[in-house]
Amino acid sequence: MELDVRDSGDLPASKIEEFYDSVLAPSFADSELIPRAEFLADLNDPGGDTVASVAFDDAGEILGGAVGQWFPQCRVMLTAYLAIRPGRRGGGIGGRILRAVLADWQRRVDPLLILGEVEDPRHHTDIGFGDPERRLKFYAAAGAEIIPVPYFQPAIQAGGERVLHLFLMTFAVSDECRRGERSIDASPVRAFLEANLARNEGGVDRDDPATAALFDAVTGATVELVDPAGLHGDR
C-alpha cells in the first residue's frame, strides 16, 4: 500500500477537520487533546508554531498523521500527537508516518531535539485510546530514549488538569546536542520544559512541587538518556 504524507498547508480545511474528527479525537482523552477550534486556528496562523502532516492511502482515505509544536527559542520540536485512524492500526503505518514527519521536521527547522510524550505503562492502562505498553514498545523499536525526569503534560486548557506519569522521550537528537553515546546537552531540555509550561499554563511556578521536581532532575550540564527496554509491563 502506498502512503502519501502531506503537509497540512497543502490540504483543504475540510481534510484538516476530517483528520481531527476521525483520527485525533478518537485517539486521545479530552485532557490530552487540544480543543478542535484552537487546533484549527493554530494551523491557520501564519506565524504559528503548530505543524501537522496527514497520511493518505492510495484511495485517498486518511489513515493517520502527526502534529508537532515548534519551540524556536530552544530549537525543540514536540511531537504533540501521532495517531492512526481506528480500524487501520497495525501493519506498520505508524512507523512509516513517524519516519516521514521526523525527516520533514529535521529538514524544515533543524531542531536540536524532537521530543514526544509517552504514557508510562507502569501507571497507565488502556482506557480505549490504545495500549500504553504497546505504544512504548513501538517508540522503543523506533530508537526513542527516555529523558529521566518526572514528566507531566501541562494543563492544555484553562481549568484543565495535567496528565501525570508520562515519559519525555527523544525521537531524534542532533549531533550538535549530543554529548556522548547516551548523553545530551541539558540546556535545551530545561529551556523546553520552561517554554512548554509557559505556553500552556502561562508561566512556571517554581513553588509547585511537581514543577520543582521536574527542574531538579535537569540541573546538570548533561542528561543521560535511558533505554526504555525492560520498563514496559513492569507495574
Side-chain angles (χ1 to χ4, degrees):
M1 179 184 65
E2 293 293 327
L3 192 67
D4 181 15
V5 182
R6 304 184 207 170
D7 182 83
S8 61
D10 299 327
L11 297 173
S14 61
K15 289 298 181 183
I16 305 302
E17 293 167 356
E18 182 184 348
F19 169 60
Y20 186 96
D21 295 338
S22 65
V23 177
L24 295 181
S27 301
F28 298 94
D30 289 345
S31 59
E32 300 175 330
L33 187 60
I34 299 172
R36 189 179 193 269
E38 183 179 337
F39 172 74
L40 297 175
D42 286 346
L43 287 183
N44 288 327
D45 181 358
D49 296 322
T50 300
V51 297
S53 297
V54 181
F56 297 81
D57 65 11
D58 44 18
E61 180 184 10
I62 293 177
L63 297 180
V67 179
Q69 294 178 332
W70 175 234
F71 292 80
Q73 64 271 61
C74 52
R75 291 175 57 198
V76 172
M77 179 72 85
L78 175 66
T79 310
Y81 306 109
L82 173 69
I84 309 303
R85 190 180 196 128
R88 301 303 300 268
R89 294 168 183 160
I93 294 172
R96 293 163 69 186
I97 293 174
L98 180 62
R99 288 190 293 273
V101 298
L102 293 183
D104 177 54
W105 294 343
Q106 287 169 316
R107 287 192 302 265
R108 188 186 303 198
V109 295
D110 189 27
L112 292 174
L113 296 167
I114 300 178
L115 304 179
E117 302 165 322
V118 181
E119 291 176 332
D120 182 343
R122 297 171 298 184
H123 297 275
H124 292 270
T125 58
D126 186 351
I127 57 172
F129 301 106
D131 181 1
E133 185 174 346
R134 289 185 62 187
R135 189 177 295 117
L136 181 60
K137 288 180 178 178
F138 164 79
Y139 286 117
E145 296 179 290
I146 297 168
I147 298 175
V149 296
Y151 187 74
F152 55 86
Q153 178 185 289
I156 60 174
Q157 304 178 42
E161 296 183 354
R162 294 170 169 176
V163 181
L164 305 179
H165 303 301
L166 301 182
F167 289 133
L168 182 64
M169 303 189 75
T170 59
F171 291 175
V173 179
S174 70
D175 291 340
E176 186 179 346
C177 193
R178 287 199 179 276
R179 295 295 182 269
E181 184 178 354
R182 299 199 81 116
S183 294
I184 60 173
D185 184 0
S187 56
V189 178
R190 286 192 294 269
F192 162 74
L193 294 174
E194 185 167 345
N196 194 32
L197 280 164
R199 173 181 287 186
N200 290 286
E201 298 187 359
V204 179
D205 181 4
R206 302 279 180 170
D207 293 326
D208 169 59
T211 301
L214 187 61
F215 284 93
D216 284 347
V218 287
T219 56
T222 62
V223 177
E224 190 78 10
L225 301 178
V226 175
D227 185 346
L231 288 177
H232 26 70
D234 182 20
R235 292 193 180 90

